[in-house]
Amino acid sequence: MGNYKVNIASLEAIKNNNNTNNNTNNNDSNSNSTDKNVKKKFERKITKITKCTFTILENGDVLPILYFDPVTIDGITRTSAMISSWLEFDRIAPRIGGVINISGSSDFISVYGIERVQKKGAIERPDGCPICGKVLSVNDSGTIMRCMNEECGVHDMRRIFRYYMFCCLDLNIKFRHVITLYKLKDVKHIRDIYDLNKCDYMDIGIDEKTAIKIDNNVKTNIKVPIQSLYYSIMGCCLPVHAIKLSSLVTGDKEWYTPISVIKNTNFIATNEKGAGEEKLGLMQNVLNSELEKYPDKYEELADIIDVTLLPNKLPLTGKAFVLAKLHQMSKRYAETVIRLNDGRVEDNFRKITWGRINFILGGYKIMEKYKNIIDGLNRGVEQITEDEFRSLVDMKLAKKDPEKPDTVKNEGEELLDKDPPMDEYTDPEENEDDY
């Protein structure tokens, strides 16, 4: 293929001509019946690049974001998209004013390069981390650029983001919001989120309705399981690590002091890929270094929240789950909650021993896609909804005073104890198009 540049006017003319032909065909009754059954899968729009920035993900990976003139895809106006691969970024060779093709639906969009021109003026890869400025580590194939600086602020962002999800039970905030709070609102620590209000969330681009939900979840969910708290603080651990370290805490005011009574022994940590040997002492060092770094912040946090210690038996001990289609929470979130409560997730759909499964969480829409789920139901495995799951793990933690629930009784109504609902959630690493 030689170098070429697309004539935008010609492309628009072709597009308009296709639309005209479609409208003519729709006047025919036979075409109408066919069009109802055949739906165009993805829309395609042409636009121009206006800006390019670089962002960091929760795992430390750095990726580019392209901003472009507004286009409407499936009824949603798009102005930016994150490129998920550096090889794709190199292939597009984006430049300010360059033409790109935006394709997708209401759930996601993809970016394709149209211009095949010389790379003069093309935007280059970043030299350093967008947060700390340190040189990025690149793998041999050049597909991953990651910040390996242990002092980078992304570690604090990861703690804050996990705390929102697993301690405040808020599934509205995204990791990109935490990045903006870190930069613009000086939210450098978990404790700092309790100084925010609805207006602060709206200042970073969150709509008022969602901002109210986030603020309410933070202010009301102050009864926090200690394993969820430690999981948030350690940042890069497995849930089993948080459970093991949490079991060493014996007093509600001791959780924010470094743990020093741990035995120098190994334990077996089981994850989705099998059993592996991990040193608990390594996770202890991660936890202790954080607690020693911000002692005042964690003492202030201890005065705000009510930390619940581990019971003798966690609610999901010995329970195994198969995850079906979820609507209110992501698969990643559900898996973590199950494992933080000592449960197990079976994620190999091809080989499921249904005799060892206790619950099927969620439902299904396409029968062909969930044949194994139907097989489990036929074998008598109990299917539970996401609301029933939250009740099972006692996630009704939205009361400052559980004995005196904040309820309103209108005349002629029965007094009900109402918890704030768990809102619909999109995984922070799924369906993201605008950081």
Side-chain angles (χ1 to χ4, degrees), residues 188-358:
K188 309 294 186 185
H189 189 271
I190 291 172
R191 161 64 183 86
D192 297 334
I193 72 174
Y194 289 96
D195 294 330
L196 302 176
N197 54 40
K198 177 192 73 174
C199 296
D200 293 315
Y201 294 114
M202 293 176 64
D203 288 344
I204 64 171
I206 299 176
D207 63 90
E208 183 177 6
K209 183 179 179 180
T210 304
I212 292 174
K213 291 178 181 178
I214 296 173
D215 187 54
N216 180 69
N217 287 334
V218 172
K219 299 296 172 56
T220 57
N221 291 302
I222 60 172
K223 188 177 180 182
V224 179
I226 188 171
Q227 69 269 29
S228 300
L229 178 61
Y230 274 5
Y231 179 70
S232 301
I233 293 175
M234 285 190 283
C236 57
C237 67
L238 296 173
V240 67
H241 296 146
I243 293 176
K244 290 287 185 178
L245 290 176
S246 300
S247 65
L248 300 174
V249 179
T250 57
D252 59 353
K253 291 296 183 182
E254 295 178 3
W255 68 263
Y256 56 84
T257 59
I259 295 175
S260 59
V261 292
I262 191 172
K263 296 181 181 179
N264 293 321
T265 57
N266 295 344
F267 73 97
I268 300 300
T270 304
N271 54 38
E272 64 274 10
K273 295 183 179 179
E277 195 173 85
E278 296 284 346
K279 286 190 175 182
L280 189 57
L282 178 62
M283 291 298 104
Q284 178 200 2
N285 292 337
V286 173
L287 176 64
N288 285 351
S289 63
E290 174 65 13
L291 295 176
E292 290 170 350
K293 186 176 181 180
Y294 302 104
D296 295 337
K297 289 284 188 180
Y298 283 110
E299 286 190 27
E300 292 177 13
L301 183 62
D303 293 332
I304 297 173
I305 63 177
D306 178 16
V307 176
T308 60
L309 302 182
L310 283 179
N312 293 331
K313 184 178 180 180
L314 290 167
L316 301 183
T317 299
K319 300 293 191 297
F321 291 77
V322 168
L323 303 184
K325 179 67 176 178
L326 302 178
H327 299 282
Q328 299 176 359
M329 60 183 75
S330 70
K331 179 181 178 183
R332 172 195 175 199
Y333 178 82
E335 287 179 343
T336 305
V337 170
I338 290 171
R339 291 184 172 120
L340 281 172
N341 287 276
D342 206 22
R344 182 173 65 86
V345 178
E346 176 59 68
D347 54 5
N348 186 355
F349 266 35
R350 295 184 178 180
K351 296 182 179 179
I352 298 178
T353 306
W354 287 108
R356 299 179 182 178
I357 303 299
N358 301 96

Side-chain angles (χ1 to χ4, degrees), residues 40-320:
K40 189 175 181 180
K41 191 172 183 180
F42 301 122
E43 291 189 49
R44 291 180 179 271
K45 296 292 179 67
I46 296 170
T47 185
K48 290 185 178 181
I49 299 172
T50 59
K51 185 175 67 171
C52 177
T53 61
F54 303 99
T55 190
I56 193 165
L57 304 184
E58 187 184 354
N59 62 359
D61 287 357
V62 175
L63 288 175
I65 299 175
L66 295 182
Y67 293 83
F68 41 78
D69 293 333
V71 294
T72 301
I73 301 290
D74 202 8
I76 299 177
T77 301
R78 308 281 190 173
T79 59
S80 64
M82 183 168 62
I83 309 300
S84 58
S85 168
W86 282 107
L87 295 184
E88 181 66 15
F89 177 83
D90 295 339
R91 189 188 70 81
I92 295 174
R95 61 183 181 85
I96 304 302
V99 180
I100 53 175
N101 190 334
I102 306 296
S103 173
S105 64
S106 59
D107 295 327
F108 74 96
I109 58 174
S110 299
V111 178
Y112 302 93
I114 290 183
E115 295 181 324
R116 297 294 190 272
V117 297
Q118 66 279 9
K119 290 190 176 182
K120 183 179 180 181
I123 300 169
E124 298 181 353
R125 293 189 180 195
D127 295 326
C129 171
I131 304 299
C132 65
K134 298 294 184 180
V135 177
L136 297 174
S137 175
V138 184
N139 64 343
D140 294 337
S141 61
T143 57
I144 299 175
M145 301 185 72
R146 179 172 296 175
C147 180
M148 304 299 290
N149 178 22
E150 294 182 0
E151 301 298 323
C152 181
V154 70
H155 303 298
D156 295 323
M157 297 177 196
R158 184 187 297 121
R159 294 184 179 97
I160 295 169
F161 180 60
R162 287 192 177 190
Y163 187 86
Y164 269 111
M165 286 201 297
F166 299 108
C167 297
C168 299
L169 304 184
D170 182 79
L171 302 182
N172 298 284
I173 202 160
K174 308 289 183 64
F175 191 70
R176 67 172 183 264
H177 297 144
V178 175
I179 293 177
T180 309
L181 288 172
Y182 186 90
K183 291 181 176 180
L184 302 183
K185 296 295 181 180
D186 200 33
V187 178
K188 309 294 186 185
H189 189 271
I190 291 172
R191 161 64 183 86
D192 297 334
I193 72 174
Y194 289 96
D195 294 330
L196 302 176
N197 54 40
K198 177 192 73 174
C199 296
D200 293 315
Y201 294 114
M202 293 176 64
D203 288 344
I204 64 171
I206 299 176
D207 63 90
E208 183 177 6
K209 183 179 179 180
T210 304
I212 292 174
K213 291 178 181 178
I214 296 173
D215 187 54
N216 180 69
N217 287 334
V218 172
K219 299 296 172 56
T220 57
N221 291 302
I222 60 172
K223 188 177 180 182
V224 179
I226 188 171
Q227 69 269 29
S228 300
L229 178 61
Y230 274 5
Y231 179 70
S232 301
I233 293 175
M234 285 190 283
C236 57
C237 67
L238 296 173
V240 67
H241 296 146
I243 293 176
K244 290 287 185 178
L245 290 176
S246 300
S247 65
L248 300 174
V249 179
T250 57
D252 59 353
K253 291 296 183 182
E254 295 178 3
W255 68 263
Y256 56 84
T257 59
I259 295 175
S260 59
V261 292
I262 191 172
K263 296 181 181 179
N264 293 321
T265 57
N266 295 344
F267 73 97
I268 300 300
T270 304
N271 54 38
E272 64 274 10
K273 295 183 179 179
E277 195 173 85
E278 296 284 346
K279 286 190 175 182
L280 189 57
L282 178 62
M283 291 298 104
Q284 178 200 2
N285 292 337
V286 173
L287 176 64
N288 285 351
S289 63
E290 174 65 13
L291 295 176
E292 290 170 350
K293 186 176 181 180
Y294 302 104
D296 295 337
K297 289 284 188 180
Y298 283 110
E299 286 190 27
E300 292 177 13
L301 183 62
D303 293 332
I304 297 173
I305 63 177
D306 178 16
V307 176
T308 60
L309 302 182
L310 283 179
N312 293 331
K313 184 178 180 180
L314 290 167
L316 301 183
T317 299
K319 300 293 191 297

